[in-house]
Amino acid sequence: MRNFGIAVLSILVLGMLGLASEPGKLIVWCDETRAPALTEAAQKFTAAYGVPVEVVEVPFGDIRGNLAVTAPTGEGPDIIIGPHDWIGELIFNGLLEPIFLPAALLAQFDPASLEAFSWAGELYGLPYATECVALVYNKDLVPEPPATFEELIEIAKALTEPEKGQYGFLIQQPDPYHTFPLHSAYGGYVFGSTPEGTLNPCDIGLDSEGSVKGARLLDRLVKGGILFAGADYQTVTGLFNEGLLAMFIGGPWTLPGIHAAGINYGVAKIPLIEGNTPRPFTGVQGFMVSAFSENKILANLFLKDFLATKEVMLAIYERGQRPPAYLPALAELADNPDIQAFAASAADGIPMPKIPEMASVWGAWSDALELIVSQKLGPEEAMRNAAEQIRTLLGCK
Amino acid sequence: MSWRKIFAQGATVLALGLLDALGIWAFSSLLLRGEYWMAAGLSVALGLINWIYLSKRTYPLKYLIPGLLFLTLFVLYPVGYNIYIAFTNYGTGHILSKEQAIAQFESKFYLPPDTETFRYSVFQREGGTEFVFLFYPEDGPVLFARKGEVTPVDPGDQDFLDEDSDGVIDGVQGYRRLALPELVRNLSTLQAMAFPLGEKILRMTSLQEFSAYEHRYRYDPEADALVDLLSGTVYRPVEGFFTSPEGEILLPGFTIVVGWRNFFALVTNPQISGPFFRVFAWTFAYAFFSVLLTFALGLFLAYHLNNPYLRLRRAYRMLLIVPYAIPAFISVLMWRGFFNTEVGVFNQILYSLFGVKIPWLQDPFWAKVALLLNNLWLGFPYMMIISLGALQSIPEELHEAAQIDGASAWQRFWRITFPLLLVSLAPLLIGSFAFNFNNFTNIYLLTEGRPPIPGALTPAGSTDILISYTYRLAFEGQRGNQYGLASAVSILIFLIIGTISWINFRFTRALEEVSENV
C-alpha cells in the first residue's frame, strides 16, 4: 500500500507539473546518480535538434512501480533506466517497447549485456553497465588474493578473532544474490531451461545437487566459526571500512565507501571452489523505452546517437563505478584494476533471471540461507524446503 | 455595508472565480481524455461549491464543505477504489484495461518478408503546417503522399521540381523541404502519420526510412476475439489474457473483474489461510504488549515528572521526548545494528558482563522481545506526553480528600488517579492499539518478519504481522504484484480492527460512567 500511496502522490505531483509524455518532447526518468550525465547528453540533443528533453529524478526503487501506474494513463515518461531483470514483469504488463539499433552499434556492446535485455528475440534496452560481485580484500591483511577456496578458508580461519572484533571472510547473510556463486560453482541453478532456450519457471533448481553442495559449503563456513548470523550489508561493509575484515564478497557499489575509508584494497575473482568456477549473478543496467511513449523514434534516436557515446558512458561510469557495457568506454578503463576484476568476474557470470516468477524466489531462498546460517536447519533440508515453497507458490505441482 | 463586508465578499467571489477557472480547465482536459465519469463528478462538485458559497441559506455548510471534499477525495475515494480492486485481478500482467490492451495489439504492425522500404523527403507548406512526402522506391516512379493518399508523380507535372537537375524529382511547388533538425523536432508527428499503399500501410521505420507494414492483429468486437492476421490464430479473452485454442497467451493481459475470488482464496488457499491464525495471534500480542509496555513506562515517568518537588523537571521532560522526535525510520535501523548478535552493542555489553550472547534477531522468541523493546523506546514518549496532560486535568482536591480519609499513596493511584486517567486516555490507547496492529514500518525495518519458520510451506516468518504478511503475499509471492489479493486482505484487516475498536469503545463507555459518578 505504501508503494501505491507514493504512486498516487507522484501522479498528482507529476500531473501538476505537466511532465506527461507529449509529442515532440522527451521525458527521461532516472535516479539521482545518473541524472547529471544524462542532463548533459540531453542538452546536446536539444542544441542539435531543438527538441526539449526533461530528465526527471525518480528514486530508483519507485521507477518500475510508477511506470506501471502512470504510463497507461498517458502520464508516463518516454525513457526509463533500470536493471534487465525488470523487463519480464514490464513486458507482462505491456509497458515496454522494443528498441532498434543498427548492427554496427550493437557490435560495440558486450554481447552478454544485449542478451540480458533481449526477450523473445527483441531488444528492450540499451545497456550501459554490467554489475556483479567479486572478492574484495584488504591488501594489508591479505597481500595476495587466495587462488582456491580452501586457501581462502585457511586464511580466514587464521584471521578470525571475534573477541578482538577481527574477521577473516564474510558473505552478507541471508542474501541469495551474494551467496549464489557458492551454489553455481557446483552447478546449482535457480530456473532450468526449456528446449527453446527460455527459462522454465517450474524447473526449480534450488534443491538440485549443486545448490545443496553450495549450501553445505556455507554451513561449513558457519561451523568453522568464519561466518556469523546477522552479518548484513551494513555490518560487512562497516567492518571492512574499519579495517576489521580481511575479505568479503561485494559489488562495485561498495567501492566509494572503501575509498572514503582509505583502505588499501584489491578486487579479485572469487577463488575456485574444488576446481570449479563460481559464477555470480550479473545484472545489466540500461535505458528502456515506454510502450506508451508518443515519441518512440525520437527516443530511439536519442539512445542511439546521444547516449551510446564514449563521453556519456564514461560520465555515467564516473558516478556509479560499474563496468560499462559499451566496449569503447570499457577499453578506456583498461588500466583500472577494479573495473577489470569486476569485468572478469562478470565474464563468468549468469544473467539474473528476468522472468517475473523470480519475485517468488528471493524470499524463500533467503529464509533457507537464514536457517542454515543460524544453524536451525541442515543445508539439505533448508534448500529442499525453499524449493518446495516456491513450487507451491507458483503452482508447479 | 461596511468595508470589511465588501472586502470579504470580494475575496469570496475572487476565490470562487479562480477555483471555477481551474475547474473548467480540469473539466475540459478530462473530457478530452475521455474521463467522462471524473468530469461529471468534478462538475457536480464545482456546482455544489458555487451554490454553497453564493447562497445565504447554506451558511453552515460553508465551514463543512472543504473538510467533506477532502474526506471524499482522500478517504472515501481511495477506500472505494480499494474495494473495487479487491474484486479484480489487477496486478502483474493485468495492469491495462481491456481497451488499452486491444489498442496496443491493434497498433502492432509487422514487416512482411519481401516488404518495400523507401527513402523519403518531407516538406512543409510555406507558411502552413501541412506535411507532404516524396517517397523514393528502388525502381519505378517517385511517390507523392499527402493526407492519407499516395500517388505516383508524373515527371512532367508542373507542381514538382527537379532542383538539382539529376532527373529525379526532389521538390514540391509551394512547399519547403525540412532540414534534419526540423525533421527531428517534428519526428513524433511524422512518426504517427500512415499512408495506405494497397493493402499495406506506409509508416516510418527509422529516421531515414518508411516501410510498407501490415497490421498484425485485428479485434472483432462482435465475436470478442483478437485475430492474428499473420498466422490466422483466433485469441479469445480467458482470465484476463487473449488466449489461443491451444492455451497460448498474448502479452500484455488486462484487468478483469473476478468477483469474490480473491476473498475465497483467503479461505480456500492453504498458502494463505494456513499461517493466518498464528500470524493473527502474534499481531494481536504485538499490538497489545506494545500498548501495555509503552503506556506503563510512559505513565510511570509522567507520574514522577508531575511531582512539583522534582528538580530539573523540564530538562527531563525534554530529554525523554527525544526518541519521539527522531524519525522511526532512522532509529529502527540503528536498533537493528544494536541487536546484531556479533557486533551489536547489546551483546557486546552482555558478553563482557555475563559472557552470554543472545541471538536477538535469529531466535523467534528473542526477535519478538527485540521488537517489543524497540517499540517501547519508540512509543513511550507519546504515552508520557498524553499522560502528563491527563494527570494535570485531575483535580488535586480528590487526592487531598482521599489523603484525609486515610488512603495510602498506592490506593490513591489505583482507586482515583488511574480510573480517571483511563477515562480520557482509553480512546488514545485504542488508537495506539490500532496503529501498532498495522505497524508495518517497525516490523519491516527491524526483522522483515524473520526469523523464518523451519519446514514451513508458506513464506510467513515468526514475527510477521498481518500487514507485513499481506505485503509478502502480494508483492513477494508468485510473479510480481497482486494488488487485487492485497486489497482483499486489507479489507479483512480493516474488518478485524473495526471489530476490535468497536468492542473497545463499548468498554470505554463503561469507563465514562466512572467519571460521571465522581
Side-chain angles (χ1 to χ4, degrees), chain A residues 14-360:
Chain A
L14 293 178
M16 276 188 266
L17 294 175
L19 297 178
S21 174
E22 55 182 276
K25 175 182 169 194
L26 279 181
I27 293 162
V28 185
W29 278 7
C30 71
D31 62 333
E32 73 282 358
T33 326
R34 253 65 62 161
L38 287 190
T39 308
E40 225 165 276
Q43 279 162 357
K44 282 189 188 148
F45 190 70
T46 310
Y49 295 126
V51 176
V53 181
E54 198 138 5
V55 178
V56 185
E57 282 182 28
V58 180
F60 191 74
D62 295 341
I63 291 178
R64 178 164 46 164
N66 285 7
L67 182 72
V69 184
T70 56
T73 62
E75 304 281 335
D78 300 293
I79 297 173
I80 61 163
I81 67 153
H84 79 273
D85 54 312
W86 286 2
I87 70 169
E89 186 190 323
L90 293 179
I91 291 168
F92 254 75
N93 286 338
L95 297 172
L96 281 196
E97 185 72 12
I99 62 169
F100 300 96
L101 301 180
L105 184 61
L106 288 176
Q108 296 187 308
F109 283 90
D110 169 17
S113 69
L114 294 173
E115 176 54 39
F117 267 109
S118 300
W119 182 281
E122 308 230 50
L123 184 67
Y124 281 89
L126 178 87
Y128 66 77
T130 49
E131 59 188 30
C132 72
V133 293
L135 185 76
V136 184
Y137 62 100
N138 184 328
K139 281 185 174 165
D140 294 336
L141 298 171
V142 186
E144 279 297 315
T148 68
F149 216 81
E150 288 306 316
E151 212 177 296
L152 179 143
I153 292 177
E154 290 296 305
I155 300 173
K157 270 193 179 152
L159 288 173
T160 303
E161 286 176 79
E163 289 72 31
K164 292 191 191 161
Q166 275 282 349
Y167 298 91
F169 171 68
L170 291 175
I171 307 174
Q172 71 186 63
Q173 290 298 336
D175 189 299
Y177 179 79
H178 286 81
T179 317
F180 182 63
L182 304 193
H183 298 295
S184 63
Y186 291 108
Y189 61 95
V190 183
F191 292 116
S193 300
T194 59
E196 295 87 55
T198 56
L199 291 180
N200 175 2
C202 277
D203 177 1
I204 290 150
L206 287 189
D207 54 355
S208 68
E209 201 194 330
S211 300
V212 172
K213 273 191 182 167
R216 273 195 213 121
L217 180 59
L218 184 74
D219 187 53
R220 212 184 119 201
L221 292 175
V222 177
K223 290 211 163 81
I226 295 172
L227 273 191
F228 63 87
D232 55 10
Y233 176 74
Q234 274 79 16
T235 313
V236 170
T237 51
L239 286 171
F240 191 82
N241 294 347
E242 284 175 44
L244 295 171
L245 172 61
M247 300 172 282
F248 73 102
I249 290 182
W253 49 87
T254 59
L255 295 185
I258 298 173
H259 289 165
I263 299 287
N264 179 19
Y265 73 98
V267 183
K269 280 166 69 165
I270 301 169
L272 297 181
I273 299 174
E274 293 183 32
N276 304 308
T277 311
R279 308 181 64 190
F281 273 140
T282 50
V284 182
Q285 304 272 339
F287 301 95
M288 296 166 252
V289 177
S290 161
F292 288 87
S293 163
E294 293 184 51
N295 309 295
K296 285 165 195 165
I297 292 185
L298 204 57
N300 257 288
L301 191 70
F302 180 58
L303 295 184
K304 177 167 78 77
D305 292 350
F306 287 79
L307 293 185
T309 67
K310 207 156 75 177
E311 296 77 54
V312 174
M313 291 295 180
L314 283 174
I316 294 175
Y317 157 76
E318 282 303 324
R319 292 255 156 187
Q321 307 266 314
R322 291 160 165 85
Y326 185 62
L327 299 173
L330 186 63
E332 198 82 350
L333 301 165
D335 51 359
N336 182 324
D338 300 348
I339 290 305
Q340 294 308 322
F342 278 120
S345 186
D348 294 331
I350 297 173
M352 187 119 75
K354 56 200 164 197
I355 52 177
E357 283 81 0
M358 194 63 188
S360 66

Side-chain angles (χ1 to χ4, degrees), chain B residues 112-170:
Chain B
D114 53 347
T115 194
E116 300 147 280
T117 55
F118 303 87
R119 302 194 75 77
Y120 69 93
S121 299
V122 57
F123 303 86
Q124 190 167 31
R125 185 188 277 281
E126 300 279 4
T129 54
E130 187 203 5
F131 293 108
V132 296
F133 291 83
L134 284 178
F135 292 118
Y136 302 100
E138 297 263 327
D139 45 26
V142 176
L143 301 173
F144 174 65
R146 67 183 300 179
K147 275 194 204 136
E149 55 166 359
V150 183
T151 46
V153 173
D154 174 4
D157 195 329
Q158 292 298 308
D159 286 342
F160 298 97
L161 314 167
D162 179 6
E163 281 167 355
D164 53 5
S165 316
D166 61 351
V168 181
I169 297 292
D170 52 13

